[in-house]
Amino acid sequence: MPTTLDHALLRRWAEAAVAGLEARRAELDGINVFPVADADTGTNMLLTMQAALAAFDPAEPGPSLARGALRGARGNSGTLLSQVLRGIAEEAELGAGLRRALTHATAAVAEPRAGTILSVLEAAAEAGDDPRAVADAAHVAVGRTTGQLAELSRAGVVDAGGLGVAVVLDALVTASSGEAPVREPARVVRPRAALTTERETGSAEYDHEVMYLLDRTSEEAVTRLRTVLAALGDSVVVVGDGTGTWNVHVHCSDVGAAIEAGVEAGRPHRITVLRFDSATARFRRPRAVLLVVSGPDVAGLVRAAGADVLEARTGHTVTGRQLLAAVEETGAAHVTVMTCDATLFGLAARVAAEARDAGREVVVVPTTSVPQGLAALAVHDLDRNAADDVVAMAEAAAGTRTGALVVAEAEALTWVGRCAPGEVLGMSEGEVVLIAPDLSVGALWLAHRMLTAGGELVTALLGADAPADLGERLEEDLRRTHPEVDVVVYRGGQVDFPLVVGVE
């Protein structure tokens, strides 16, 4: 039976594809030798898929994914991945969509070659409509790429872009069946250092990658543009989304001529130019972590832990412009953002997509509280691979439970009974879980309740108006009743809660 790609399945697929590419990004980067051994195929495909997911609109699921991928496409591999999503958007069934994707991708490449994404797409398109059969066929085709391209054969690796497409098709299996296929890691005969040192300054002929979006043009102008770019360099890929916007990619030395060709063809914008030997030279440092927090005390804690801070003003909403400016002010090529507030996560995702369009890699780690952000910072390690570091921070944040105390201002009915003005409410994961007579008792009761599920570290953040001895009392009580647990108390300075508690 043909697989129908409805909006719910497409959303799950996009989410699973982002997760799959995140998990295997380092692996894909490590085997990237064609067309350029610049170790960025996994990163480019991930950023492209993240841009697609950020643009997802349930009212037009397929087209929105395709547009997002095209506008956020990075590198040769990301540009071709956008055509996979375009093909899917134009057909209701999987097999037909992959065949359409193959047509678009093949037409986009100036010099199609076997052993690339195109070979993997062709095998997948011939496999029919069953997601598992399609993904299996793609992986078989990936295994054949080593013998199809001399560059891959010399390095002893499979094609990184082809494997990336296979990972995306595995995500469709996961989205449609709920079961993730088990695959072996890509085989690397030579060490990663040997792969990347082959091309420290680009190919022997060309040392720049030029990319831009192109509007206000025609099919005839695009055809002429491909011809001009092919004469200027290699790795020419010009793809569209079917609505009049085109993504242009070329490796060349004459950057001005490549851009002028775009001006003659239409209206180029979002122009990105990178040298292969210094793709991140315009950034002051390789990586940064940015947290959004409220109050100077907690901001100081975060800075002391090594992170950048966007300090939100009490009573004011953080805007996209403020968050984007904070990301840019880090001066880093790779920025991990933690909002410490669930209501800001959607905003952060949109800002991340906009920053990626400008050439900066931005990843948002979901956090709902400052203790989760501090827990993530505690495991942050610049010596670790960026992708692995993000995973470690995300796991630390997810493993931290958060609770808080608030003083009732009026009589109210809660999940645990009626409270009177002045009584203290203990909240955990957004729900009222206890009513206490004062802050000291409430702090102890809340900590005890949160520790029933286990924990090794309790972090307490005192609010701006909290008594100075509130933390001392909690620390003494927990050391007596839970000697196996470490307790850390900070003056957080928040105005909304007298006490915030995190349990790791």
Side-chain angles (χ1 to χ4, degrees):
M1 179 181 297
T3 298
T4 301
L5 301 168
D6 59 26
H7 76 278
L9 178 55
L10 284 173
R11 177 61 185 256
R12 294 197 304 272
W13 182 14
E15 292 172 343
V18 168
L21 290 170
E22 281 179 333
R24 302 190 70 170
R25 172 170 56 174
E27 178 186 1
L28 294 171
D29 285 346
I31 62 171
N32 171 204
V33 299
F34 181 85
V36 179
D38 48 1
D40 64 358
T41 288
T43 298
N44 287 340
M45 296 186 82
L46 172 59
L47 294 176
T48 301
M49 200 66 221
Q50 286 176 329
L53 178 58
F56 180 81
D57 182 351
E60 44 174 6
S64 63
L65 288 175
R67 284 196 301 272
L70 182 85
R71 292 176 177 275
R74 292 278 294 274
N76 189 308
S77 56
T79 305
L80 291 176
L81 176 59
S82 74
Q83 296 305 281
V84 176
L85 297 183
R86 179 186 172 187
I88 295 299
E90 293 174 349
E91 300 288 346
E93 296 173 355
L94 175 60
L98 291 174
R99 290 190 290 274
R100 182 67 67 91
L102 176 62
T103 299
H104 290 319
T106 303
V109 179
E111 297 181 8
R113 293 180 64 181
T116 63
I117 286 177
L118 300 180
S119 300
V120 176
L121 261 181
E122 182 178 13
E126 292 174 350
D129 287 295
D130 177 67
R132 188 171 295 275
V134 165
D136 288 346
H139 279 276
V140 170
V142 168
R144 292 196 295 262
T145 60
T146 305
Q148 293 175 308
L149 272 177
E151 294 90 340
L152 304 179
S153 181
R154 286 194 297 268
V157 297
V158 298
D159 182 65
L163 179 57
V165 167
V167 169
V168 171
L169 294 175
D170 274 343
L172 179 58
V173 178
T174 302
S176 58
S177 69
E179 299 179 1
V182 178
R183 307 290 186 188
E184 292 294 325
R187 180 173 65 97
V188 181
V189 174
R190 294 164 60 191
R192 185 174 187 270
L195 303 181
T196 57
T197 54
E198 285 184 359
R199 179 171 182 178
E200 293 180 344
T201 58
S203 71
E205 297 178 81
Y206 310 113
D207 55 9
H208 285 86
E209 178 184 60
V210 179
M211 292 191 70
Y212 49 83
L213 295 181
L214 188 66
D215 295 335
R216 299 176 187 172
T217 188
S218 64
E219 292 280 357
E220 294 77 11
V222 167
T223 299
R224 290 194 298 271
L225 176 61
R226 285 196 183 99
T227 302
V228 172
L229 294 179
L232 291 173
D234 61 15
S235 295
V236 176
V237 181
V238 183
V239 300
D241 64 357
T243 65
T245 298
W246 298 81
N247 190 304
V248 180
H249 174 279
V250 62
H251 295 166
C252 64
S253 294
D254 193 340
V255 174
I259 296 174
E260 287 172 6
V263 173
E264 292 177 2
R267 185 180 71 89
H269 56 107
R270 290 192 187 176
I271 300 170
T272 301
V273 179
L274 298 177
R275 280 187 62 88
F276 290 117
D277 60 343
S278 57
T280 60
R282 64 193 177 93
F283 301 113
R284 299 194 306 272
R285 51 179 170 156
R287 286 155 60 189
V289 178
L290 173 68
L291 270 71
V292 182
V293 299
S294 178
D297 293 315
V298 72
L301 281 176
V302 171
R303 290 190 180 98
D308 290 70
V309 174
L310 170 56
E311 188 175 338
R313 295 170 56 195
T314 302
H316 291 75
T317 302
V318 173
T319 67
R321 179 176 298 179
Q322 289 173 325
L323 185 53
L324 181 59
V327 168
E328 293 173 345
E329 287 170 6
T330 66
H334 180 289
V335 183
T336 301
V337 175
M338 291 182 277
T339 61
C340 303
D341 183 342
T343 64
L344 294 178
F345 185 74
L347 174 69
R350 292 191 294 273
V351 167
E354 186 173 349
R356 291 185 203 111
D357 288 342
R360 175 179 271 110
E361 183 177 356
V362 179
V363 179
V364 181
V365 171
T367 48
T368 62
S369 66
V370 171
Q372 285 191 338
L374 293 175
L377 278 179
V379 301
H380 172 48
D381 185 356
L382 283 173
D383 292 331
R384 190 162 41 204
N385 173 278
D388 294 339
D389 194 40
V390 168
V391 170
M393 287 190 284
E395 289 177 345
T400 301
R401 302 183 299 280
T402 304
L405 297 182
V406 63
V407 179
E409 297 181 352
E411 183 176 352
L413 183 62
T414 74
W415 286 106
V416 293
R418 188 174 296 277
C419 68
E423 288 187 311
V424 174
L425 307 180
M427 305 182 68
S428 180
E429 308 304 330
E431 299 288 347
V432 177
V433 295
L434 60 88
I435 301 174
D438 56 46
L439 288 173
S440 294
V441 173
L444 182 59
W445 286 359
L446 180 61
H448 279 321
R449 182 184 180 91
M450 294 177 66
L451 285 168
T452 57
E456 300 175 351
L457 173 66
V458 173
T459 301
L461 299 177
L462 301 180
D465 298 327
D469 62 349
L470 178 61
E472 296 174 2
R473 292 182 184 179
L474 176 61
E475 193 171 358
E476 291 174 1
D477 287 337
L478 289 179
R479 284 178 177 167
R480 184 180 66 256
T481 57
H482 291 275
E484 76 285 1
V485 174
D486 293 326
V487 182
V488 181
V489 179
Y490 299 109
R491 173 64 69 174
Q494 68 274 4
V495 298
D496 45 359
F497 300 109
L499 182 73
V500 176
V501 178
V503 174
E504 301 176 43

